[in-house]
Amino acid sequence: MPKINLLTEDLINKIAAGEVIERPASVVKELIENSLDAQATKITIEIEDCGKKLIKISDNGSGMSEEDTKTSILRHATSKISSQEDLFAIQTLGFRGEALASIAAVSQLSIITKQEGEVEGFNLIVESGEIISSGILAAETGTVIEVRNLFFNTPVRKTFMKTDPVELRHIIDVVTRYALINPEIAIKLIHEGHELLNSPQVPDLINNLASLYGVKLAKDLLEVNYQKDGLTVSGYVAQPHQARNDNTQQSVYVNQRWVKSGDVSKAVYEAFHSLLFHGKHPIFVLNLEIAPGMIDVNVHPQKTEVKFSQKDTIFNTVFTAVKETLQKNNLIPELDIKFEEQLSFGQKIKTKILKKAKYKFEPSNQETLEDEEYATPEEDILIPEQWKEELIKEILPPLRILGQVQKTFFVAEAEDGIMIIDQHVVQERILYERFMAQLMNKQVATQSLLRGEMIDLTPTEKILIKENLIELKHFGFQLESFGENTYLLKTIPSVFGKLQPKELLYEIINNFKYGKNKLEQIQEEIITRMACRASIKAGDEVTVGEMQKLLDELANCKLPYTCPHGRSIMIKVSIDELEKKFKRK
Ligand SMILES: Nc1ncnc2c1ncn2[C@@H]1O[C@H](COP(=O)(O)OP(=O)(O)OP(=O)(O)O)[C@@H](O)[C@H]1O
Ligand SMILES: [Mg+2]
């Protein structure tokens, strides 16, 4: 008996489909690309059950002949290339002739299509790659494709799908990417009758950015337009102060194809360099126009990666393009003050990290959503069981404030030495504990915003807010829907009232983006970050009275020696050590 079997055609197709079609969003991506390649100017995507039940895309593009429609669902059937030379001169988004075959293999597919000038259209119905029926019918010029019950015949693949909000977000992301870079094309996304995204035909990219990302952000964007060595870099970067805490508002396109490109992103970060605070990510939308012969797009089954033949040139050109834009706009560099660097004067002082601890307040029995693309790196922080009232309260010794050093540290006298206290982390700890106490008693004090603050949101952010409205209220954020992409923020938690309401809300939304949908699961992280933002910073002048008040409040904290991130709040230099240093001992 032979050990090696030849796989059946059906099985081969299913295996191949697995590479191209990973989730509902991959179907949406492939179908949009096909509509764009067919020169459509209007594309509407309607989905049901987050794409699992139905994905329907209608375009007003070229349409297909009857014969081509039948061929289109076969593997390696494409109208876009025909020779090896073509493969290295790709001008279209598709080129492999695999997408429709892959989709057809794992769904129930229907195509209705009509070419310009034809009287009748053609309809093809396919299930698991097999044609079930076909026929002539009346249709508008263009193509309507319906994909029903994705993965109905590959149940295992189905179980790999994430929760609905995650799948939906992937779809919104895909549509947003293509909507962004195609201002002249009207693109709409509708989920169960609700319009999630509407990107009308506008004359240029900046108008498109305004309609998708909000007028306020768009107003402050800086235009990039640079050419060198046959490479054009165009698009927009946001001013450094608009940088975000995550990198979800970064889009790179190569010849209008959305790609994940570490090289391009790196060049942008380099150009921003000292303009960005630590941990901040610039917002950018950049398109690289490059001779098709200089890139290879045939490197990833989902066509989301490109290989550049001249990597260094690409890096340098993008770097210069962004750098020049920033320079032209007279952006003065701000300093990136690193905590560790500030401490360097005391490196020889034996530091005593008193405790490295972080507490989880509510044991969550829900599973964390592990979404590979959104997952944040594991933090090296000790997380003991749970917060308990009877937890040993650490006692702060009596301290007498001596003054402030470098507007960064308090210096205080303790019984047996001196304490150097980081002013930022002191307040961080206080605000964190104050807010946690309110949250646990379900009594978050709020501060009303007189007229409310308008918050412009991207389509993804809008969904995130909508899904978490109740939890957000619990946290002290009361929001009301206010038209298309806008919410009106009416209250904020007063503990963090010093912060810009918007900044505070973004802190929360950004956390959702990492694939963790439930607020409870990430509340600690959110509170830590809000506390961090709302606290006095290094460089803020603080009076002796204020310092003393802060220390008194710190003394009431449960863990007065560590900030919520687990770093030390104070360093002690004992009299003993001083005496040794001065050779008194
Ligand atoms: N919306 C559409 N309008 C007109 N023609 C279409 C449309 N969708 C698909 N086609 C035709 O069907 C062919 C097969 O589509 P398919 O997406 O499978 O392959 P492709 O786009 O050529 O390559 P790739 O697999 O890289 O996407 C296309 O080459 C195109 O000729
Ligand atoms: Mg295609």
Side-chain angles (χ1 to χ4, degrees), residues 30-31 33-35 37-38 59 61-64 68 72 74 77-80 93-101 113 143 145 303:
E30 292 299 335
L31 296 179
E33 289 186 352
N34 281 348
S35 297
D37 283 345
D59 71 45
S62 65
M64 284 178 275
D68 279 351
S72 71
L74 302 178
T78 179
S79 58
K80 300 169 192 176
L93 296 166
F95 54 86
R96 310 154 306 177
E98 283 204 22
L100 279 185
T113 184
T143 304
I145 295 186
K303 300 175 286 182

Short mmCIF file of all heavy atoms in Angstrom, two decimals, residues 30-31 33-35 37-38 59 61-64 68 72 74 77-80 93-101 113 143 145 303, ligand 1:
data_model
loop_
_atom_site.label_atom_id
_atom_site.label_comp_id
_atom_site.label_asym_id
_atom_site.label_seq_id
_atom_site.Cartn_x
_atom_site.Cartn_y
_atom_site.Cartn_z
N GLU A 30 -10.42 40.79 -0.01
CA GLU A 30 -10.26 40.29 -1.38
C GLU A 30 -11.33 40.85 -2.31
O GLU A 30 -11.05 41.20 -3.45
CB GLU A 30 -10.28 38.76 -1.40
CG GLU A 30 -9.09 38.10 -0.73
CD GLU A 30 -7.75 38.45 -1.37
OE1 GLU A 30 -7.73 38.80 -2.57
OE2 GLU A 30 -6.72 38.41 -0.66
N LEU A 31 -12.56 40.92 -1.79
CA LEU A 31 -13.64 41.39 -2.66
C LEU A 31 -13.52 42.88 -2.96
O LEU A 31 -13.78 43.32 -4.08
CB LEU A 31 -15.00 41.06 -2.04
CG LEU A 31 -15.30 39.55 -1.90
CD1 LEU A 31 -16.64 39.31 -1.25
CD2 LEU A 31 -15.23 38.84 -3.26
N GLU A 33 -10.74 44.50 -3.10
CA GLU A 33 -9.63 44.62 -4.06
C GLU A 33 -10.10 44.31 -5.47
O GLU A 33 -9.72 44.99 -6.43
CB GLU A 33 -8.49 43.67 -3.66
CG GLU A 33 -7.77 44.12 -2.41
CD GLU A 33 -6.55 43.27 -2.08
OE1 GLU A 33 -6.35 42.24 -2.74
OE2 GLU A 33 -5.82 43.66 -1.15
N ASN A 34 -10.94 43.30 -5.60
CA ASN A 34 -11.46 42.96 -6.93
C ASN A 34 -12.30 44.11 -7.50
O ASN A 34 -12.19 44.43 -8.68
CB ASN A 34 -12.30 41.68 -6.88
CG ASN A 34 -11.42 40.44 -6.84
OD1 ASN A 34 -10.22 40.52 -7.07
ND2 ASN A 34 -12.02 39.31 -6.53
N SER A 35 -13.12 44.72 -6.64
CA SER A 35 -13.96 45.83 -7.12
C SER A 35 -13.08 47.01 -7.53
O SER A 35 -13.34 47.68 -8.52
CB SER A 35 -14.93 46.28 -6.03
OG SER A 35 -15.81 45.23 -5.71
N ASP A 37 -9.97 46.83 -8.57
CA ASP A 37 -9.31 46.46 -9.84
C ASP A 37 -10.27 46.58 -11.02
O ASP A 37 -9.84 46.79 -12.15
CB ASP A 37 -8.78 45.01 -9.76
CG ASP A 37 -7.49 44.92 -8.95
OD1 ASP A 37 -6.86 45.97 -8.71
OD2 ASP A 37 -7.10 43.79 -8.57
N ALA A 38 -11.57 46.41 -10.74
CA ALA A 38 -12.56 46.50 -11.83
C ALA A 38 -12.98 47.95 -12.07
O ALA A 38 -14.00 48.21 -12.73
CB ALA A 38 -13.77 45.63 -11.51
N ASP A 59 -20.60 46.46 -6.59
CA ASP A 59 -19.79 47.52 -7.19
C ASP A 59 -20.35 47.92 -8.55
O ASP A 59 -21.17 47.21 -9.13
CB ASP A 59 -18.31 47.11 -7.28
CG ASP A 59 -18.03 46.03 -8.33
OD1 ASP A 59 -18.54 46.13 -9.46
OD2 ASP A 59 -17.27 45.08 -8.02
N GLY A 61 -18.34 48.46 -11.12
CA GLY A 61 -17.15 48.28 -11.96
C GLY A 61 -17.44 47.64 -13.30
O GLY A 61 -18.60 47.60 -13.75
N SER A 62 -16.41 47.08 -13.89
CA SER A 62 -16.49 46.59 -15.27
C SER A 62 -17.44 45.41 -15.48
O SER A 62 -17.94 45.20 -16.58
CB SER A 62 -15.10 46.17 -15.73
OG SER A 62 -14.69 45.06 -14.94
N GLY A 63 -17.70 44.64 -14.44
CA GLY A 63 -18.51 43.43 -14.62
C GLY A 63 -17.74 42.36 -15.37
O GLY A 63 -16.60 42.58 -15.80
N MET A 64 -18.35 41.18 -15.51
CA MET A 64 -17.68 40.08 -16.22
C MET A 64 -18.62 39.47 -17.26
O MET A 64 -19.83 39.51 -17.10
CB MET A 64 -17.29 38.97 -15.23
CG MET A 64 -16.10 39.28 -14.37
SD MET A 64 -15.78 37.92 -13.21
CE MET A 64 -16.86 38.32 -11.87
N ASP A 68 -16.23 34.47 -18.40
CA ASP A 68 -15.26 34.87 -17.36
C ASP A 68 -15.80 34.61 -15.96
O ASP A 68 -15.04 34.26 -15.05
CB ASP A 68 -14.91 36.36 -17.49
CG ASP A 68 -13.87 36.59 -18.58
OD1 ASP A 68 -13.32 35.57 -19.08
OD2 ASP A 68 -13.60 37.75 -18.90
N SER A 72 -13.83 32.62 -13.27
CA SER A 72 -13.29 33.40 -12.15
C SER A 72 -13.17 32.61 -10.85
O SER A 72 -12.34 32.91 -10.01
CB SER A 72 -14.13 34.65 -11.91
OG SER A 72 -15.39 34.29 -11.36
N LEU A 74 -12.28 29.53 -10.60
CA LEU A 74 -11.26 28.47 -10.68
C LEU A 74 -9.95 28.98 -10.12
O LEU A 74 -9.66 30.18 -10.20
CB LEU A 74 -11.07 28.02 -12.13
CG LEU A 74 -12.32 27.50 -12.82
CD1 LEU A 74 -12.01 27.15 -14.27
CD2 LEU A 74 -12.90 26.28 -12.08
N ALA A 77 -7.05 31.46 -11.95
CA ALA A 77 -7.74 32.10 -13.07
C ALA A 77 -7.75 33.60 -12.81
O ALA A 77 -8.36 34.05 -11.86
CB ALA A 77 -9.17 31.58 -13.18
N THR A 78 -7.03 34.33 -13.64
CA THR A 78 -6.95 35.78 -13.45
C THR A 78 -6.91 36.51 -14.78
O THR A 78 -6.37 35.98 -15.76
CB THR A 78 -5.71 36.17 -12.61
OG1 THR A 78 -5.67 37.58 -12.48
CG2 THR A 78 -4.41 35.69 -13.23
N SER A 79 -7.48 37.69 -14.80
CA SER A 79 -7.40 38.51 -16.01
C SER A 79 -6.25 39.51 -15.86
O SER A 79 -6.03 40.33 -16.73
CB SER A 79 -8.72 39.26 -16.20
OG SER A 79 -8.97 40.05 -15.05
N LYS A 80 -5.56 39.44 -14.72
CA LYS A 80 -4.65 40.54 -14.40
C LYS A 80 -3.20 40.32 -14.82
O LYS A 80 -2.47 41.28 -15.03
CB LYS A 80 -4.76 40.86 -12.91
CG LYS A 80 -6.20 41.28 -12.59
CD LYS A 80 -6.54 41.38 -11.14
CE LYS A 80 -8.06 41.51 -10.99
NZ LYS A 80 -8.50 41.54 -9.61
N LEU A 93 -4.32 45.16 -7.74
CA LEU A 93 -4.23 44.63 -6.38
C LEU A 93 -4.22 43.10 -6.40
O LEU A 93 -3.57 42.45 -5.60
CB LEU A 93 -5.41 45.15 -5.54
CG LEU A 93 -5.39 46.67 -5.34
CD1 LEU A 93 -6.73 47.17 -4.82
CD2 LEU A 93 -4.27 47.06 -4.38
N GLY A 94 -4.97 42.53 -7.33
CA GLY A 94 -4.97 41.07 -7.47
C GLY A 94 -4.01 40.65 -8.56
O GLY A 94 -3.65 41.45 -9.41
N PHE A 95 -3.55 39.42 -8.51
CA PHE A 95 -2.69 38.93 -9.60
C PHE A 95 -2.59 37.41 -9.59
O PHE A 95 -2.15 36.81 -10.55
CB PHE A 95 -1.28 39.53 -9.51
CG PHE A 95 -0.61 39.33 -8.16
CD1 PHE A 95 0.10 38.18 -7.89
CD2 PHE A 95 -0.72 40.29 -7.17
CE1 PHE A 95 0.70 37.99 -6.65
CE2 PHE A 95 -0.13 40.12 -5.92
CZ PHE A 95 0.59 38.96 -5.65
N ARG A 96 -3.06 36.75 -8.51
CA ARG A 96 -2.82 35.31 -8.43
C ARG A 96 -3.98 34.48 -8.97
O ARG A 96 -3.82 33.31 -9.28
CB ARG A 96 -2.61 34.90 -6.97
CG ARG A 96 -1.63 35.72 -6.23
CD ARG A 96 -1.94 35.69 -4.76
NE ARG A 96 -3.35 36.08 -4.53
CZ ARG A 96 -3.93 36.08 -3.35
NH1 ARG A 96 -3.26 35.68 -2.30
NH2 ARG A 96 -5.18 36.47 -3.23
N GLY A 97 -5.15 35.08 -9.02
CA GLY A 97 -6.32 34.31 -9.41
C GLY A 97 -6.68 33.26 -8.39
O GLY A 97 -7.05 32.14 -8.71
N GLU A 98 -6.57 33.62 -7.15
CA GLU A 98 -6.84 32.64 -6.10
C GLU A 98 -7.99 33.05 -5.19
O GLU A 98 -8.58 32.19 -4.53
CB GLU A 98 -5.61 32.49 -5.20
CG GLU A 98 -4.55 31.66 -5.83
CD GLU A 98 -3.64 31.04 -4.78
OE1 GLU A 98 -4.06 30.92 -3.63
OE2 GLU A 98 -2.52 30.70 -5.15
N ALA A 99 -8.26 34.34 -5.11
CA ALA A 99 -9.19 34.80 -4.09
C ALA A 99 -10.59 34.20 -4.25
O ALA A 99 -11.11 33.57 -3.33
CB ALA A 99 -9.25 36.32 -4.09
N LEU A 100 -11.17 34.38 -5.44
CA LEU A 100 -12.54 33.88 -5.61
C LEU A 100 -12.61 32.37 -5.45
O LEU A 100 -13.53 31.84 -4.83
CB LEU A 100 -13.12 34.31 -6.96
CG LEU A 100 -13.66 35.74 -7.03
CD1 LEU A 100 -14.32 35.99 -8.40
CD2 LEU A 100 -14.70 36.00 -5.93
N ALA A 101 -11.61 31.66 -5.96
CA ALA A 101 -11.59 30.20 -5.82
C ALA A 101 -11.54 29.82 -4.34
O ALA A 101 -12.23 28.90 -3.90
CB ALA A 101 -10.39 29.63 -6.57
N THR A 113 -23.45 39.58 -12.28
CA THR A 113 -22.56 40.55 -12.92
C THR A 113 -23.06 40.93 -14.31
O THR A 113 -23.72 40.14 -14.98
CB THR A 113 -21.12 39.98 -12.96
OG1 THR A 113 -20.25 40.96 -13.49
CG2 THR A 113 -21.01 38.70 -13.77
N THR A 143 -20.86 44.37 -10.45
CA THR A 143 -20.87 43.01 -9.89
C THR A 143 -21.40 43.02 -8.46
O THR A 143 -21.06 43.91 -7.68
CB THR A 143 -19.42 42.45 -9.91
OG1 THR A 143 -18.94 42.52 -11.25
CG2 THR A 143 -19.37 41.01 -9.42
N ILE A 145 -21.48 40.37 -5.31
CA ILE A 145 -21.05 39.05 -4.84
C ILE A 145 -21.57 38.83 -3.43
O ILE A 145 -21.45 39.69 -2.57
CB ILE A 145 -19.51 38.93 -4.89
CG1 ILE A 145 -19.06 39.00 -6.36
CG2 ILE A 145 -19.03 37.63 -4.24
CD1 ILE A 145 -17.61 38.76 -6.62
N LYS A 303 -1.10 39.02 0.55
CA LYS A 303 -0.61 40.18 -0.21
C LYS A 303 -0.48 41.44 0.65
O LYS A 303 -0.69 42.54 0.17
CB LYS A 303 -1.54 40.46 -1.41
CG LYS A 303 -1.65 39.33 -2.39
CD LYS A 303 -2.68 39.63 -3.48
CE LYS A 303 -4.09 39.53 -2.96
NZ LYS A 303 -5.12 39.76 -3.98
N1 LIG B 1 -15.87 42.66 -8.83
C1 LIG B 1 -15.34 42.20 -9.98
N2 LIG B 1 -15.56 42.86 -11.13
C2 LIG B 1 -15.04 42.43 -12.28
N3 LIG B 1 -14.27 41.34 -12.39
C3 LIG B 1 -14.00 40.64 -11.30
C4 LIG B 1 -14.52 41.03 -10.03
N4 LIG B 1 -14.10 40.13 -9.11
C5 LIG B 1 -13.36 39.24 -9.77
N5 LIG B 1 -13.28 39.53 -11.09
C6 LIG B 1 -12.55 38.75 -12.11
O1 LIG B 1 -12.31 37.49 -11.58
C7 LIG B 1 -10.93 37.16 -11.63
C8 LIG B 1 -10.57 36.30 -10.44
O2 LIG B 1 -10.65 37.05 -9.24
P1 LIG B 1 -9.71 36.66 -8.03
O3 LIG B 1 -9.86 37.64 -6.97
O4 LIG B 1 -9.96 35.24 -7.74
O5 LIG B 1 -8.27 36.76 -8.67
P2 LIG B 1 -7.36 38.03 -8.91
O6 LIG B 1 -7.99 39.24 -8.40
O7 LIG B 1 -7.02 38.00 -10.36
O8 LIG B 1 -6.07 37.65 -8.06
P3 LIG B 1 -5.95 37.52 -6.47
O9 LIG B 1 -6.14 36.11 -6.12
O10 LIG B 1 -4.58 38.00 -6.20
O11 LIG B 1 -7.01 38.38 -5.90
C9 LIG B 1 -10.23 38.49 -11.66
O12 LIG B 1 -8.96 38.39 -12.29
C10 LIG B 1 -11.21 39.35 -12.44
O13 LIG B 1 -11.02 39.21 -13.81
#
